[in-house]
Amino acid sequence: MTVGVLGGGQLARMLALAGRPLGRRFLFLEPASNPPVASLGEVVRGSYDDPVCLNRIAAAADVVTFEFEAVPAKAVRRLAAEVPVHPSPAALAAAQDRRAEKRLFQELGIPTARSCPVDGVGDLAAALAATGLPAVVKTRRFGYDGKGQAVVRSPEEAAAAVKALGPRLIAESFVDFERELSVLGAAGLDGSRVFYPLTENHHRDGLLRASYAPAPDVSAGLQAEAEVLAGKIMDRLGYVGVLAVELFQSGGRLLANEMAPRVHNSGHWTIDAAGASQFENHVRAVTGLALAPPAARGPTAMLNVIGEMPDLPVLAAVPGAHVHLYDKTPRPGRKLGHVNVTGPDAEAVMETAASVWRLLPGAGILPPPSKSKPADGASRRTLVSRPVAFAPELGDD
Ligand code: AMP
C-alpha cells in the first residue's frame, strides 16, 4: 500500500520511518529541493496546488495524508474526490482558520479563551471589550511557531498589532496558565481510539523547546477530561489519524488553544518511550491497520535541536539520549532534530536532559517540568510581545 504525503519535512520523514517496517510505501509532494524525506520514497517536486503533481499523487497513492495544515484545502478536496484522504478535508479546514477552530470548540462545549474576530482597527473596541486586556492578537490563518501573533496590553498596542499583522485576525483573552499541555490521540478507520498520556510543553519565542511526558502531576480526572475533549473533536470530524490538541491548564481546568490534525512535535517522545509512536499509529490509522497500545514506558524529556547542529559524536555518546536528526540545513530558529531522553526515573531523566541540553548550541536554560518550578512562577515562559509577521517559510511543528 502506498501512502501519499503532502509535505516532505521531518514529520513526513518520521511517518515514513515508522511506516516502512509495516510494509507501507511512501510518495511525497514537496516544493523544496532535497527535503528531509529525499531518501525515503519518491518525491514529486512541485507546489501543493499544481494539478499535474496532484494527479501524480492521486494515481500512485492508495491513501493520502498531510504533515502540516497549510496545504491548500482546495487541493486536498480535489485529491479526496479520487483517493481516500485522512484526516478528512473538513478536519483540515477547521484547523486552518483560528475562528473556525474556536467555533468548533465552542459548539462542542470545549472551553477556550474568550475570542473575537478582528478585521481592522474599527473592530478593536468591541473585541477588547469581549477579551479584556492583556489580549493576544493572532492571524486567523497560517500562523505557526508563535509567528503571526502579538500580546497586547493596551488599546494602542492592540491597534499597532492589527496594523502590523494585517486583516483577518482574531483577538483572544490572555490566559494566565499554569502550564501548557497537549493531548494526542489516534482514531482508526474501524472507529477504535487510543490516547497518549498528556505531555507538558515549554515554548520560548513561540517555539517548542522541551516536552516532558507523561506530564507530571496529572490526575486520572485531568487525563480523562483531555481525552473526552479530543474525542469530541474526533466524533464531530469523523476523524481518522493522529490528532493533537494544545491545551492550557489554568485554575485546575483545561482550555483548548488549538488543534493540529496531524502528528505533532509534542508527540516526538513517543518514538522512544511509548508502546507505539504517534507516527506508527498515524500510519496504522490511515492505512486501516489496528492501532497499537500508546502507553508510556517511563518518563521522557524531548528536547528540540534548533538553529545549530550539536557535536553529534559527543551527543550520541550520552547514555539514555536518543538522537533524531532531520537532514536539514541549519538556519536560526529552524528545527533540525530532537533528542528523546529516557531513564529509569524522572530524576535520572532530568539529569541526562540537563547534560544533553548543555550540548545543544544556543539552547539557553532548560525549562524545568512544572513540578520543580519555583512557586513564584519565576521560570514561566516568555511570550512574543511584539507582532511577528507571517513568514513565508512554512512551519513544521
Ligand atoms: P499558538 O500559535 O496559538 O499555538 O500560540 C503559541 C504560544 O503562544 C502558545 O503555545 C502559548 O505559549 C502562547 N499563547 C497563545 N495564545 C495564548 C493566550 N490566549 N494566552 C496566553 N498565551 C497564549
Side-chain angles (χ1 to χ4, degrees), residues 12-392:
R13 173 185 172 95
M14 291 184 274
L15 282 172
L17 288 170
R20 285 175 57 147
L22 291 167
R24 286 6 192 167
R25 291 166 191 276
F26 290 82
L27 170 79
F28 308 93
L29 174 54
E30 166 62 47
S33 59
N34 202 22
V37 293
S39 59
L40 291 165
E42 183 191 340
V43 181
V44 177
R45 191 165 168 211
S47 75
Y48 296 113
D49 47 13
D50 180 330
V52 176
C53 297
L54 292 173
N55 286 344
R56 167 79 193 124
I57 299 290
D62 299 296
V63 60
V64 169
T65 191
F66 41 88
E67 67 153 3
F68 68 121
E69 294 90 297
V71 287
K74 203 169 145 196
V76 175
R77 280 198 300 272
R78 182 193 161 124
L79 281 171
E82 294 179 51
V83 60
V85 175
H86 300 301
S88 65
L92 179 70
Q96 281 185 332
D97 185 312
R98 290 188 194 270
R99 192 177 175 202
E101 190 177 60
K102 285 272 182 323
R103 271 207 196 123
L104 174 71
F105 293 161
Q106 281 153 13
E107 272 171 41
L108 296 173
I110 296 171
T112 62
R114 289 189 306 279
S115 67
C116 195
V118 175
D119 284 316
V121 281
D123 296 339
L124 262 181
L128 296 182
T131 61
L133 284 167
V136 188
V137 178
K138 301 179 176 181
T139 51
R140 251 181 249 166
R141 295 172 70 81
F142 304 135
Y144 70 95
D145 284 349
K147 294 190 171 61
Q149 60 178 270
V151 177
V152 296
R153 295 170 187 82
S154 66
E156 295 71 35
E157 276 185 22
V162 170
K163 281 185 194 134
L165 294 170
R168 295 181 62 72
L169 305 173
I170 192 167
E172 290 177 13
S173 305
F174 180 83
V175 180
D176 191 19
F177 53 78
E178 282 115 45
R179 59 174 171 173
E180 293 190 75
L181 297 167
S182 54
V183 59
L184 273 80
L189 264 176
D190 60 359
S192 58
R193 296 200 180 148
V194 295
F195 291 96
Y196 289 95
L198 283 167
T199 302
E200 181 179 305
N201 303 315
H202 294 263
H203 297 83
R204 200 178 69 231
D205 301 332
L207 279 173
L208 182 67
R209 305 283 157 164
S211 292
Y212 299 103
D217 279 342
V218 169
S219 64
L222 195 73
Q223 176 74 30
E225 191 181 329
E227 293 183 12
V228 166
L229 71 80
K232 282 183 181 174
I233 299 170
M234 289 172 167
D235 288 342
R236 169 63 65 93
L237 296 170
Y239 204 86
V240 174
V242 165
L243 171 73
V245 187
E246 294 181 29
L247 306 162
F248 298 137
Q249 187 177 2
S250 175
R253 62 186 200 137
L254 295 176
L255 300 182
N257 176 32
E258 61 176 0
M259 61 181 245
R262 55 169 169 83
V263 285
H264 192 259
N265 195 167
S266 67
H268 289 2
W269 65 271
T270 60
I271 299 176
D272 294 299
S277 76
Q278 60 164 345
F279 301 100
E280 177 174 345
N281 265 330
H282 187 76
V283 174
R284 283 173 172 261
V286 304
T287 64
L289 297 175
L291 299 177
R297 291 200 295 264
T300 340
M302 189 287 307
L303 311 176
N304 270 336
V305 178
I306 297 175
E308 274 182 71
M309 288 296 284
D311 183 337
L312 180 60
V314 177
L315 187 58
V318 179
H322 309 270
V323 183
H324 301 267
L325 298 176
Y326 307 149
D327 238 339
K328 286 165 83 173
T329 310
R331 198 185 303 150
R334 198 171 201 207
K335 290 176 182 169
L336 304 174
H338 69 274
V339 183
N340 288 334
V341 176
T342 57
D345 54 43
E347 208 176 311
V349 166
M350 281 316 295
E351 218 168 276
T352 308
S355 317
V356 167
W357 195 255
R358 282 193 288 275
L359 299 174
L360 305 181
I365 295 166
L366 175 64
S370 58
K371 215 173 167 180
S372 55
K373 276 186 187 174
D376 65 0
S379 64
R380 283 236 354 220
R381 86 287 181 233
T382 51
L383 276 161
V384 181
S385 57
R386 276 175 295 109
V388 181
F390 169 62

